[in-house]
Amino acid sequence: STKMGCSATRSESKIGRGKGVVILMTSASELKGHKTGAWLEEAAVPYYLFKEAGLKVTLCSIKGGEPPIDAASRSEGFYVDDAKKFDNDKEAQKEFKSTVKLEDIVSSIGDYDAIYLVGGHGTCVDFVDNKVVDKAIGDAYESGKCVVAADCHGPVGICGAKKANGEPLVKGLTVSGFTDDEEKAVKLEKVVPFLLETKLIELGGNYKKVENWKECVSVDTSGKGVLVTGQNPGSSLACAKATLEAIKGLKL
């Protein structure tokens, strides 16, 4: 077949219409004395899924440079194959050690196919009350062209975002995220700035969940943009797949 000689750039254009996917991670290594960071599985799984689909991936963080990884995400039972692969992947590590600063690309966020917010309790520090995050998410959603996706504690970063009419972005949208029960299970319910499930409901979100640690993803296409959210680390693959499908669906 003639497709054999197809360049990477040409195969990229077959999926999305934009610059690929921004995978955003926290730059915070602790939350009120609790050592944390980004949750590795929630970055590694989408990274490989999007790359294998032919999308360009831009690793990004709040401060730029190398993000902290929560050590618990490398512990028994949580250190999944994609996470191990990511840690031993020279190309991925090069990108990981020099992530782009969100502030440097926020003005052109609508040019990307998706922005994907990785969880980990570090998000509870620097995804909160962050005008750059709020702008990135609001602009991406309102563009109608850049899918907004977030898994586990990633949706902490959509709580401050607004629609063009000034309403909370999540108001009236179906949404998932780390549950209050899951937060209690990890004994951090008193440490987090707010309980994510409670907050999403307070903001007017149509919150959807399943039992602790089971897979749950919400996809909302009812508004101007597309919002894809996952409940927990175990929802990483389903959340990334749903984001990929949403990107394919948006391609004009």
Side-chain angles (χ1 to χ4, degrees):
S1 123
T2 53
K3 281 184 184 157
M4 288 305 287
C6 184
S7 71
T9 46
R10 278 178 60 197
S11 64
E12 270 167 26
S13 66
K14 284 180 190 157
I15 305 278
R17 37 118 232 126
K19 292 187 189 173
V21 182
V22 172
I23 294 182
L24 177 65
M25 286 170 272
T26 176
S27 292
S29 60
E30 60 173 65
L31 168 65
K32 295 182 189 163
H34 171 76
K35 289 267 184 248
T36 183
W39 197 264
L40 186 54
E41 176 182 359
E42 294 161 23
V45 168
Y47 176 85
Y48 288 115
L49 187 89
F50 298 141
K51 284 224 160 192
E52 280 154 23
L55 282 161
K56 185 178 190 301
V57 175
T58 301
L59 292 182
C60 181
S61 63
I62 300 298
K63 290 183 178 169
E66 183 173 355
I69 291 292
D70 192 316
S73 65
R74 289 193 176 108
S75 66
E76 191 67 39
F78 292 108
Y79 199 26
V80 298
D81 288 346
D82 273 353
K84 290 173 187 166
K85 181 178 169 184
F86 189 85
D87 275 345
N88 292 290
D89 180 336
K90 281 201 177 105
E91 189 192 343
Q93 285 305 303
K94 194 177 158 197
E95 293 167 35
F96 177 72
K97 287 181 165 57
S98 56
T99 66
V100 174
K101 187 179 181 182
L102 179 62
E103 205 167 348
D104 293 343
I105 58 168
V106 67
S107 61
S108 60
I109 203 71
D111 296 340
Y112 291 86
D113 295 297
I115 178 167
Y116 193 101
L117 278 58
V118 174
H121 278 92
T123 61
C124 299
V125 177
D126 62 1
F127 281 18
V128 178
D129 296 329
N130 186 322
K131 289 188 172 69
V132 181
V133 173
D134 294 347
K135 179 171 168 53
I137 300 306
D139 288 358
Y141 185 82
E142 287 292 332
S143 75
K145 298 180 295 190
C146 178
V147 176
V148 173
D151 188 28
C152 196
H153 280 92
V156 164
I158 64 174
C159 291
K162 303 266 196 287
K163 296 191 182 95
N165 65 6
E167 287 183 342
L169 182 84
V170 300
K171 188 178 176 184
L173 303 186
T174 302
V175 64
S176 295
F178 206 62
T179 70
D180 294 359
D181 277 347
E182 286 169 329
E183 203 66 81
K184 286 166 189 155
V186 297
K187 300 187 166 53
L188 289 171
E189 77 275 11
K190 302 272 199 301
V191 182
V192 291
F194 51 76
L195 290 165
L196 184 53
E197 173 183 344
T198 298
K199 175 68 109 181
L200 290 167
I201 293 166
E202 278 172 6
L203 291 168
N206 169 23
Y207 185 83
K208 198 176 87 179
K209 65 175 175 179
V210 293
E211 61 190 279
N212 288 9
W213 318 118
K214 295 282 194 285
E215 186 181 281
C216 178
V217 174
S218 292
V219 179
D220 192 294
T221 56
S222 67
K224 176 112 192 254
V226 179
L227 180 65
V228 179
T229 45
Q231 180 174 316
N232 47 35
S235 303
S236 295
L237 184 59
C239 191
K241 280 181 173 169
T243 304
L244 184 62
E245 288 311 307
I247 292 168
K248 288 177 180 172
L250 277 183
K251 196 183 175 201
L252 302 170

